[in-house]
Amino acid sequence: MDMFHDHLVIFLHKEGLPLFCSIDMPIDPNIQGPKKVEEFDPWFFPVPTTLCNVTPGSNHDFMSPVYRAVVSSPVMPDLTVDYDMKKREISILQQDNVKGITENSNPTSTPLKKLDSKNLKTWKDLSEKFHCERRLVTSHDGVSVPLTILFSGSKDINNGAAGILHGYGAYGEVLDKSWCADRLSLLDRGWVMAFADVRGGGGDPSWHQAGTKTNKMNSIYDFAECAKYLVREGFVHQNRLGAIGVSAGGLLVGATINLHPHLFSAAILKVPFLDISNTMLDPSLPLTILDYDEFGDPKVKTEFEAIRSVSPYDKLPSGSCYPPVLVTASFHDSRVGVWEAAKWVAKARDITCTSCSSSIILKTNMTSGHFGEGGRYLQCEDTALEYAFLIKALGE
Protein backbone atom coordinates (compact mmCIF):
# COMPACT_ATOMS: atom_id res chain seq x y z
CA MET A 1 0.00 0.00 0.00
CA ASP A 2 0.91 3.69 -0.34
CA MET A 3 -0.26 6.20 2.26
CA PHE A 4 -1.27 9.81 1.58
CA HIS A 5 -2.83 12.51 3.75
CA ASP A 6 -6.30 12.07 2.30
CA HIS A 7 -6.06 8.72 0.54
CA LEU A 8 -4.80 5.17 0.91
CA VAL A 9 -3.68 3.32 -2.23
CA ILE A 10 -3.96 -0.46 -2.05
CA PHE A 11 -2.41 -3.01 -4.43
CA LEU A 12 -4.50 -6.15 -4.85
CA HIS A 13 -4.61 -9.32 -6.92
CA LYS A 14 -7.79 -11.07 -8.01
CA GLU A 15 -7.58 -14.35 -9.89
CA GLY A 16 -3.99 -13.57 -10.82
CA LEU A 17 -4.77 -10.09 -12.17
CA PRO A 18 -3.44 -6.88 -10.54
CA LEU A 19 -5.87 -4.30 -9.16
CA PHE A 20 -5.12 -0.86 -7.73
CA CYS A 21 -7.58 1.26 -5.81
CA SER A 22 -7.72 4.30 -3.52
CA ILE A 23 -9.73 4.73 -0.33
CA ASP A 24 -10.59 8.10 1.16
CA MET A 25 -8.93 8.89 4.48
CA PRO A 26 -9.37 9.03 7.39
CA ILE A 27 -10.88 5.64 8.06
CA ASP A 28 -13.15 5.29 11.09
CA PRO A 29 -10.82 4.17 13.92
CA ASN A 30 -13.69 2.54 15.81
CA ILE A 31 -14.22 -0.23 13.28
CA GLN A 32 -14.20 -3.62 14.95
CA GLY A 33 -13.07 -6.74 13.10
CA PRO A 34 -11.98 -7.22 9.49
CA LYS A 35 -13.66 -5.38 6.65
CA LYS A 36 -13.73 -6.01 2.91
CA VAL A 37 -12.17 -3.39 0.66
CA GLU A 38 -15.51 -2.87 -1.11
CA GLU A 39 -17.04 -1.60 2.15
CA PHE A 40 -14.82 1.53 2.04
CA ASP A 41 -16.17 2.84 -1.31
CA PRO A 42 -12.86 2.27 -3.15
CA TRP A 43 -12.03 3.82 -6.52
CA PHE A 44 -10.46 1.13 -8.64
CA PHE A 45 -7.98 2.73 -11.01
CA PRO A 46 -9.24 2.23 -14.58
CA VAL A 47 -6.88 0.51 -17.02
CA PRO A 48 -7.31 -0.26 -20.73
CA THR A 49 -7.36 -4.03 -20.27
CA THR A 50 -7.38 -6.57 -17.46
CA LEU A 51 -3.99 -7.80 -18.69
CA CYS A 52 -2.32 -4.51 -17.73
CA ASN A 53 0.59 -4.31 -15.35
CA VAL A 54 0.56 -1.25 -13.07
CA THR A 55 3.79 -0.05 -11.45
CA PRO A 56 3.94 2.84 -8.96
CA GLY A 57 5.76 5.93 -10.20
CA SER A 58 7.43 8.71 -8.21
CA ASN A 59 4.97 9.60 -5.45
CA HIS A 60 6.91 11.59 -2.86
CA ASP A 61 4.37 14.30 -1.95
CA PHE A 62 2.38 13.08 1.05
CA MET A 63 -0.18 15.87 0.67
CA SER A 64 -0.84 15.29 -3.03
CA PRO A 65 -4.22 13.90 -4.17
CA VAL A 66 -2.56 12.62 -7.37
CA TYR A 67 -1.05 9.15 -7.71
CA ARG A 68 1.36 8.55 -10.57
CA ALA A 69 1.77 5.11 -12.10
CA VAL A 70 3.14 3.38 -15.17
CA VAL A 71 0.63 1.19 -16.98
CA SER A 72 1.63 -1.34 -19.62
CA SER A 73 0.67 -4.67 -21.09
CA PRO A 74 2.30 -7.18 -23.45
CA VAL A 75 0.76 -5.20 -26.35
CA MET A 76 0.85 -1.67 -24.90
CA PRO A 77 4.07 0.37 -24.49
CA ASP A 78 4.61 1.95 -21.06
CA LEU A 79 2.06 4.66 -20.34
CA THR A 80 2.64 7.21 -17.57
CA VAL A 81 -0.63 8.34 -16.00
CA ASP A 82 -1.80 10.44 -13.06
CA TYR A 83 -4.78 9.25 -11.04
CA ASP A 84 -6.52 12.16 -9.30
CA MET A 85 -7.90 10.36 -6.27
CA LYS A 86 -9.98 13.35 -5.15
CA LYS A 87 -11.70 14.03 -8.49
CA ARG A 88 -11.50 10.37 -9.51
CA GLU A 89 -10.10 11.26 -12.91
CA ILE A 90 -7.03 10.12 -14.81
CA SER A 91 -4.66 12.04 -17.05
CA ILE A 92 -2.36 10.58 -19.67
CA LEU A 93 1.07 12.21 -19.40
CA GLN A 94 3.31 10.29 -21.75
CA GLN A 95 3.59 7.02 -23.63
CA ASP A 96 6.68 5.33 -25.01
CA ASN A 97 6.98 5.28 -28.78
CA VAL A 98 8.07 2.25 -30.76
CA LYS A 99 9.98 3.25 -33.86
CA GLY A 100 8.25 2.15 -37.01
CA ILE A 101 5.14 0.98 -35.14
CA THR A 102 3.63 3.80 -33.06
CA GLU A 103 3.37 7.32 -34.37
CA ASN A 104 5.74 9.97 -33.08
CA SER A 105 3.54 12.47 -31.28
CA ASN A 106 3.73 14.94 -28.43
CA PRO A 107 2.71 13.71 -24.97
CA THR A 108 -0.98 14.26 -24.28
CA SER A 109 -2.88 14.99 -21.11
CA THR A 110 -6.48 13.84 -21.33
CA PRO A 111 -8.70 13.72 -18.22
CA LEU A 112 -10.94 10.67 -18.30
CA LYS A 113 -13.71 9.94 -15.82
CA LYS A 114 -14.22 6.43 -17.09
CA LEU A 115 -12.82 4.20 -19.78
CA ASP A 116 -15.44 3.55 -22.45
CA SER A 117 -14.92 2.46 -26.04
CA LYS A 118 -14.40 6.06 -27.15
CA ASN A 119 -11.84 6.89 -24.50
CA LEU A 120 -9.85 3.74 -25.24
CA LYS A 121 -8.58 5.44 -28.38
CA THR A 122 -6.45 7.75 -26.25
CA TRP A 123 -4.51 4.71 -24.98
CA LYS A 124 -2.23 3.58 -27.80
CA ASP A 125 -1.73 -0.12 -27.99
CA LEU A 126 -0.59 -2.61 -30.60
CA SER A 127 -3.54 -4.98 -30.28
CA GLU A 128 -4.17 -4.83 -34.03
CA LYS A 129 -0.61 -5.98 -34.75
CA PHE A 130 -0.21 -8.39 -31.83
CA HIS A 131 -2.75 -10.51 -29.97
CA CYS A 132 -2.66 -11.22 -26.25
CA GLU A 133 -4.90 -13.86 -24.73
CA ARG A 134 -5.34 -15.18 -21.22
CA ARG A 135 -6.25 -18.84 -20.85
CA LEU A 136 -6.83 -21.04 -17.81
CA VAL A 137 -5.02 -24.38 -17.97
CA THR A 138 -6.15 -27.32 -15.83
CA SER A 139 -3.24 -28.74 -13.86
CA HIS A 140 -2.74 -32.27 -12.56
CA ASP A 141 -5.02 -31.76 -9.54
CA GLY A 142 -7.77 -29.81 -11.29
CA VAL A 143 -6.48 -26.35 -10.34
CA SER A 144 -6.72 -23.67 -13.06
CA VAL A 145 -3.39 -22.03 -13.90
CA PRO A 146 -3.34 -18.64 -15.71
CA LEU A 147 -1.48 -18.69 -19.01
CA THR A 148 -0.89 -15.49 -21.01
CA ILE A 149 -0.21 -16.01 -24.72
CA LEU A 150 1.23 -13.34 -27.01
CA PHE A 151 1.58 -13.68 -30.79
CA SER A 152 1.52 -11.69 -34.01
CA GLY A 153 -1.90 -10.63 -35.26
CA SER A 154 -0.96 -11.73 -38.76
CA LYS A 155 -0.10 -15.23 -37.58
CA ASP A 156 -2.35 -18.18 -38.37
CA ILE A 157 -2.37 -20.79 -35.63
CA ASN A 158 -1.41 -23.89 -37.60
CA ASN A 159 0.75 -26.00 -35.28
CA GLY A 160 3.88 -24.82 -37.07
CA ALA A 161 5.04 -21.92 -34.94
CA ALA A 162 8.00 -21.79 -32.61
CA GLY A 163 7.27 -20.61 -29.10
CA ILE A 164 8.82 -19.71 -25.76
CA LEU A 165 7.24 -20.40 -22.36
CA HIS A 166 8.38 -18.21 -19.45
CA GLY A 167 8.06 -19.30 -15.84
CA TYR A 168 9.19 -18.32 -12.33
CA GLY A 169 6.89 -19.60 -9.58
CA ALA A 170 8.62 -18.55 -6.36
CA TYR A 171 8.67 -15.99 -3.54
CA GLY A 172 5.12 -14.88 -4.30
CA GLU A 173 6.45 -12.83 -7.21
CA VAL A 174 4.19 -12.05 -10.15
CA LEU A 175 5.69 -13.00 -13.50
CA ASP A 176 6.55 -9.79 -15.34
CA LYS A 177 4.30 -9.40 -18.36
CA SER A 178 4.77 -5.68 -18.91
CA TRP A 179 5.75 -4.23 -22.29
CA CYS A 180 9.15 -5.33 -23.59
CA ALA A 181 10.33 -4.15 -27.00
CA ASP A 182 12.86 -7.01 -27.16
CA ARG A 183 10.02 -9.42 -27.90
CA LEU A 184 9.20 -7.72 -31.20
CA SER A 185 12.11 -9.46 -32.94
CA LEU A 186 10.64 -12.93 -32.35
CA LEU A 187 6.99 -11.88 -32.63
CA ASP A 188 7.62 -10.43 -36.08
CA ARG A 189 9.07 -13.81 -37.06
CA GLY A 190 5.78 -15.46 -36.11
CA TRP A 191 6.92 -16.81 -32.75
CA VAL A 192 4.60 -17.26 -29.77
CA MET A 193 5.55 -15.88 -26.34
CA ALA A 194 3.73 -17.38 -23.35
CA PHE A 195 3.83 -16.71 -19.60
CA ALA A 196 2.77 -19.35 -17.06
CA ASP A 197 1.71 -17.99 -13.65
CA VAL A 198 2.32 -21.26 -11.81
CA ARG A 199 1.77 -21.86 -8.13
CA GLY A 200 4.50 -20.47 -5.92
CA GLY A 201 4.27 -17.14 -7.72
CA GLY A 202 2.26 -14.01 -7.02
CA GLY A 203 -1.38 -13.29 -6.37
CA ASP A 204 -3.32 -14.64 -3.43
CA PRO A 205 -1.04 -15.77 -0.55
CA SER A 206 -2.55 -19.24 -0.78
CA TRP A 207 -1.36 -19.42 -4.41
CA HIS A 208 2.16 -18.77 -3.21
CA GLN A 209 1.97 -21.31 -0.39
CA ALA A 210 0.62 -23.95 -2.78
CA GLY A 211 3.99 -23.92 -4.56
CA THR A 212 6.40 -23.89 -1.61
CA LYS A 213 8.20 -26.51 0.47
CA THR A 214 6.46 -29.91 0.18
CA ASN A 215 4.08 -28.39 -2.39
CA LYS A 216 6.84 -27.34 -4.78
CA MET A 217 6.02 -30.11 -7.25
CA ASN A 218 2.79 -28.23 -7.98
CA SER A 219 4.88 -25.52 -9.67
CA ILE A 220 6.56 -28.10 -11.92
CA TYR A 221 3.29 -29.84 -12.79
CA ASP A 222 1.64 -26.49 -13.56
CA PHE A 223 4.47 -25.48 -15.88
CA ALA A 224 4.42 -28.79 -17.71
CA GLU A 225 0.65 -28.61 -18.23
CA CYS A 226 0.94 -25.08 -19.64
CA ALA A 227 3.57 -26.32 -22.10
CA LYS A 228 1.36 -29.23 -23.16
CA TYR A 229 -1.57 -26.84 -23.58
CA LEU A 230 0.35 -24.66 -26.04
CA VAL A 231 1.07 -27.71 -28.19
CA ARG A 232 -2.35 -29.31 -27.79
CA GLU A 233 -4.23 -26.12 -28.73
CA GLY A 234 -2.07 -25.55 -31.78
CA PHE A 235 -0.25 -22.42 -30.65
CA VAL A 236 3.19 -24.04 -30.92
CA HIS A 237 4.60 -26.99 -32.86
CA GLN A 238 5.43 -29.91 -30.58
CA ASN A 239 9.07 -29.89 -31.72
CA ARG A 240 9.53 -26.10 -31.55
CA LEU A 241 8.72 -25.19 -27.95
CA GLY A 242 11.38 -23.64 -25.73
CA ALA A 243 11.42 -22.50 -22.11
CA ILE A 244 13.08 -19.66 -20.20
CA GLY A 245 13.69 -19.53 -16.45
CA VAL A 246 15.61 -16.90 -14.49
CA SER A 247 17.08 -17.52 -11.00
CA ALA A 248 14.42 -19.53 -9.12
CA GLY A 249 12.72 -19.89 -12.50
CA GLY A 250 15.75 -21.95 -13.53
CA LEU A 251 14.80 -24.46 -10.85
CA LEU A 252 11.28 -24.58 -12.29
CA VAL A 253 12.42 -25.12 -15.88
CA GLY A 254 15.25 -27.51 -14.98
CA ALA A 255 12.99 -29.69 -12.83
CA THR A 256 10.32 -29.75 -15.55
CA ILE A 257 12.84 -30.88 -18.18
CA ASN A 258 14.03 -33.66 -15.86
CA LEU A 259 10.42 -34.80 -15.50
CA HIS A 260 9.60 -34.44 -19.21
CA PRO A 261 12.87 -34.51 -21.23
CA HIS A 262 11.04 -34.41 -24.57
CA LEU A 263 8.57 -31.63 -23.75
CA PHE A 264 10.90 -28.77 -24.69
CA SER A 265 13.20 -28.54 -27.70
CA ALA A 266 15.40 -25.83 -26.17
CA ALA A 267 15.79 -23.96 -22.90
CA ILE A 268 17.54 -20.91 -21.49
CA LEU A 269 18.52 -20.94 -17.80
CA LYS A 270 19.70 -17.54 -16.60
CA VAL A 271 21.65 -17.39 -13.28
CA PRO A 272 19.68 -20.53 -12.41
CA PHE A 273 19.09 -22.10 -8.99
CA LEU A 274 19.98 -25.69 -9.90
CA ASP A 275 21.91 -27.26 -7.01
CA ILE A 276 19.18 -26.65 -4.43
CA SER A 277 20.03 -29.61 -2.17
CA ASN A 278 23.61 -28.58 -1.44
CA THR A 279 22.76 -24.89 -1.22
CA MET A 280 19.98 -25.44 1.32
CA LEU A 281 22.37 -27.58 3.40
CA ASP A 282 24.89 -24.72 3.66
CA PRO A 283 23.60 -22.06 6.14
CA SER A 284 26.74 -19.95 5.61
CA LEU A 285 25.44 -18.83 2.19
CA PRO A 286 23.65 -15.45 2.17
CA LEU A 287 20.09 -16.60 1.40
CA THR A 288 19.95 -20.19 2.64
CA ILE A 289 18.25 -19.59 6.00
CA LEU A 290 15.83 -17.09 4.48
CA ASP A 291 14.94 -19.67 1.85
CA TYR A 292 13.80 -22.21 4.43
CA ASP A 293 10.34 -20.61 4.26
CA GLU A 294 10.29 -20.92 0.49
CA PHE A 295 11.88 -24.27 -0.32
CA GLY A 296 11.97 -26.03 3.04
CA ASP A 297 14.28 -26.71 5.97
CA PRO A 298 16.61 -29.64 5.19
CA LYS A 299 16.72 -30.50 8.91
CA VAL A 300 13.06 -31.54 8.57
CA LYS A 301 13.00 -34.93 6.85
CA THR A 302 9.84 -34.41 4.80
CA GLU A 303 11.02 -31.01 3.62
CA PHE A 304 14.48 -32.30 2.73
CA GLU A 305 12.88 -35.08 0.67
CA ALA A 306 10.80 -32.42 -1.10
CA ILE A 307 13.96 -30.42 -1.83
CA ARG A 308 15.68 -33.48 -3.30
CA SER A 309 12.64 -34.38 -5.39
CA VAL A 310 12.76 -31.09 -7.33
CA SER A 311 16.53 -30.55 -7.45
CA PRO A 312 17.55 -30.20 -11.13
CA TYR A 313 21.15 -31.21 -10.33
CA ASP A 314 20.31 -34.32 -8.32
CA LYS A 315 17.51 -35.53 -10.59
CA LEU A 316 19.30 -35.31 -13.95
CA PRO A 317 18.21 -38.44 -15.88
CA SER A 318 21.19 -40.59 -16.84
CA GLY A 319 21.44 -41.46 -20.53
CA SER A 320 18.40 -39.42 -21.42
CA CYS A 321 18.22 -37.23 -24.53
CA TYR A 322 18.33 -33.65 -23.37
CA PRO A 323 17.31 -30.54 -25.35
CA PRO A 324 19.84 -27.82 -26.23
CA VAL A 325 20.29 -25.58 -23.19
CA LEU A 326 21.97 -22.19 -22.85
CA VAL A 327 23.03 -21.59 -19.24
CA THR A 328 24.27 -18.15 -18.18
CA ALA A 329 25.99 -17.45 -14.88
CA SER A 330 27.66 -14.49 -13.13
CA PHE A 331 30.92 -14.89 -11.26
CA HIS A 332 30.06 -12.31 -8.58
CA ASP A 333 26.51 -13.52 -8.02
CA SER A 334 25.76 -13.36 -4.29
CA ARG A 335 22.29 -14.92 -4.65
CA VAL A 336 22.99 -17.98 -6.77
CA GLY A 337 26.55 -19.27 -6.68
CA VAL A 338 28.32 -19.46 -10.02
CA TRP A 339 29.26 -23.06 -9.19
CA GLU A 340 25.61 -24.15 -9.43
CA ALA A 341 25.45 -23.56 -13.17
CA ALA A 342 28.97 -24.97 -13.68
CA LYS A 343 28.22 -28.16 -11.74
CA TRP A 344 24.91 -28.72 -13.51
CA VAL A 345 26.42 -28.22 -16.98
CA ALA A 346 29.33 -30.56 -16.19
CA LYS A 347 27.01 -33.29 -14.92
CA ALA A 348 24.53 -32.86 -17.78
CA ARG A 349 27.32 -33.19 -20.33
CA ASP A 350 28.66 -36.25 -18.51
CA ILE A 351 25.53 -38.36 -17.98
CA THR A 352 23.04 -37.37 -20.69
CA CYS A 353 23.01 -38.72 -24.24
CA THR A 354 26.41 -38.02 -25.81
CA SER A 355 24.91 -36.63 -29.02
CA CYS A 356 22.79 -34.19 -27.00
CA SER A 357 25.31 -33.09 -24.38
CA SER A 358 27.31 -31.09 -26.92
CA SER A 359 24.31 -28.74 -27.20
CA ILE A 360 24.51 -27.71 -23.54
CA ILE A 361 26.31 -24.35 -23.43
CA LEU A 362 27.63 -22.38 -20.44
CA LYS A 363 28.31 -18.65 -20.65
CA THR A 364 29.79 -17.02 -17.55
CA ASN A 365 30.05 -13.27 -17.07
CA MET A 366 33.21 -12.79 -15.02
CA THR A 367 32.42 -9.23 -13.86
CA SER A 368 28.68 -9.02 -13.11
CA GLY A 369 26.36 -10.08 -10.30
CA HIS A 370 22.92 -11.69 -10.11
CA PHE A 371 21.17 -9.00 -12.13
CA GLY A 372 23.81 -8.74 -14.82
CA GLU A 373 25.59 -5.64 -16.00
CA GLY A 374 23.77 -2.40 -16.60
CA GLY A 375 23.80 -0.44 -19.79
CA ARG A 376 21.56 -0.53 -22.79
CA TYR A 377 24.04 -2.09 -25.21
CA LEU A 378 25.21 -4.87 -22.90
CA GLN A 379 21.60 -5.91 -22.35
CA CYS A 380 21.07 -5.89 -26.13
CA GLU A 381 24.09 -8.15 -26.58
CA ASP A 382 22.75 -10.62 -24.03
CA THR A 383 19.32 -10.66 -25.66
CA ALA A 384 20.86 -11.08 -29.12
CA LEU A 385 22.81 -14.12 -27.90
CA GLU A 386 19.69 -15.68 -26.38
CA TYR A 387 17.60 -15.11 -29.49
CA ALA A 388 20.36 -16.42 -31.76
CA PHE A 389 20.49 -19.57 -29.64
CA LEU A 390 16.71 -20.02 -29.79
CA ILE A 391 16.54 -19.45 -33.55
CA LYS A 392 19.38 -21.93 -34.07
CA ALA A 393 17.74 -24.54 -31.83
CA LEU A 394 14.11 -24.09 -32.85
CA GLY A 395 14.41 -22.68 -36.37
CA GLU A 396 12.82 -19.62 -37.92
Side-chain angles (χ1 to χ4, degrees):
M1 63 178 67
D2 271 341
M3 182 76 71
F4 293 83
H5 182 263
D6 294 320
H7 302 90
L8 174 67
V9 179
I10 302 179
F11 315 143
L12 307 167
H13 275 86
K14 184 177 182 180
E15 297 179 353
L17 297 174
L19 296 174
F20 282 57
C21 70
S22 66
I23 295 173
D24 293 340
M25 297 286 283
I27 296 174
D28 183 1
N30 297 317
I31 292 177
Q32 299 295 322
K35 291 283 185 180
K36 294 184 177 180
V37 173
E38 289 77 7
E39 298 180 58
F40 294 97
D41 186 30
W43 179 48
F44 285 93
F45 294 170
V47 292
T49 169
T50 56
L51 291 175
C52 276
N53 181 67
V54 184
T55 305
S58 298
N59 298 287
H60 302 301
D61 186 355
F62 178 74
M63 303 303 294
S64 175
V66 175
Y67 189 81
R68 179 162 295 180
V70 177
V71 182
S72 70
S73 80
V75 295
M76 187 181 72
D78 289 358
L79 182 77
T80 303
V81 298
D82 277 350
Y83 292 96
D84 191 317
M85 297 177 286
K86 185 175 182 179
K87 298 179 181 179
R88 296 198 170 185
E89 295 179 350
I90 61 177
S91 299
I92 301 172
L93 301 182
Q94 187 267 342
Q95 185 171 24
D96 289 354
N97 288 310
V98 181
K99 187 176 181 180
I101 298 180
T102 59
E103 297 178 357
N104 290 324
S105 59
N106 295 324
T108 60
S109 180
T110 307
L112 304 174
K113 291 192 175 180
K114 64 177 182 178
L115 279 173
D116 54 30
S117 59
K118 180 179 179 181
N119 288 331
L120 277 172
K121 295 180 181 179
T122 62
W123 302 72
K124 297 178 183 178
D125 63 45
L126 307 178
S127 57
E128 293 184 359
K129 185 173 178 61
F130 304 107
H131 289 322
C132 186
E133 300 181 6
R134 186 175 186 265
R135 302 289 182 90
L136 294 177
V137 179
T138 303
S139 191
H140 69 106
D141 54 359
V143 172
S144 295
V145 181
L147 176 66
T148 304
I149 307 170
L150 177 64
F151 55 94
S152 172
S154 61
K155 174 187 178 304
D156 293 325
I157 302 299
N158 60 3
N159 296 314
I164 300 297
L165 180 61
H166 297 254
Y168 187 71
Y171 301 108
E173 293 289 333
V174 178
L175 192 62
D176 183 16
K177 295 180 285 293
S178 57
W179 170 261
C180 179
D182 290 348
R183 301 183 189 128
L184 296 177
S185 177
L186 293 182
L187 290 172
D188 284 338
R189 287 176 162 87
W191 285 47
V192 173
M193 314 286 282
F195 308 85
D197 287 299
V198 302
R199 278 173 282 186
D204 188 283
S206 63
W207 189 257
H208 172 219
Q209 293 299 320
T212 62
K213 296 185 178 180
T214 55
N215 296 320
K216 190 58 187 174
M217 281 302 299
N218 285 334
S219 303
I220 288 87
Y221 290 137
D222 291 352
F223 195 70
E225 290 302 324
C226 287
K228 294 175 184 177
Y229 181 90
L230 290 172
V231 174
R232 184 171 64 249
E233 296 299 316
F235 286 99
V236 180
H237 189 279
Q238 64 178 354
N239 296 325
R240 301 185 70 194
L241 176 61
I244 294 180
V246 181
S247 192
L251 164 64
L252 173 71
V253 174
T256 305
I257 295 176
N258 286 348
L259 195 63
H260 301 282
H262 304 292
L263 185 57
F264 298 103
S265 298
I268 295 178
L269 308 177
K270 303 171 68 173
V271 290
F273 188 26
L274 298 171
D275 189 17
I276 179 174
S277 295
N278 285 307
T279 295
M280 297 304 293
L281 285 167
D282 187 351
S284 67
L285 295 173
L287 299 182
T288 294
I289 295 177
L290 295 175
D291 277 343
Y292 286 171
D293 290 335
E294 184 68 27
F295 301 107
D297 185 344
K299 294 189 292 293
V300 179
K301 183 179 178 181
T302 56
E303 295 183 7
F304 176 72
E305 291 173 348
I307 291 171
R308 292 278 293 183
S309 69
V310 300
S311 174
Y313 178 78
D314 293 295
K315 291 297 181 177
L316 269 169
S318 179
S320 173
C321 287
Y322 221 74
V325 183
L326 171 62
V327 184
T328 66
S330 295
F331 189 75
H332 297 289
D333 192 338
S334 61
R335 297 196 174 202
V336 180
V338 66
W339 55 86
E340 295 207 18
K343 286 177 61 178
W344 184 91
V345 168
K347 185 175 181 180
R349 288 174 175 172
D350 185 48
I351 72 171
T352 60
C353 170
T354 54
S355 61
C356 301
S357 61
S358 61
S359 299
I360 298 174
I361 303 167
L362 174 64
K363 176 181 180 291
T364 304
N365 189 314
M366 302 303 292
T367 60
S368 68
H370 190 67
F371 297 100
E373 291 185 284
R376 173 184 175 187
Y377 295 108
L378 288 173
Q379 292 177 0
C380 288
E381 288 178 5
D382 290 341
T383 302
L385 173 67
E386 294 165 13
Y387 285 5
F389 169 80
L390 291 172
I391 292 172
K392 177 70 174 179
L394 301 178
E396 274 286 4

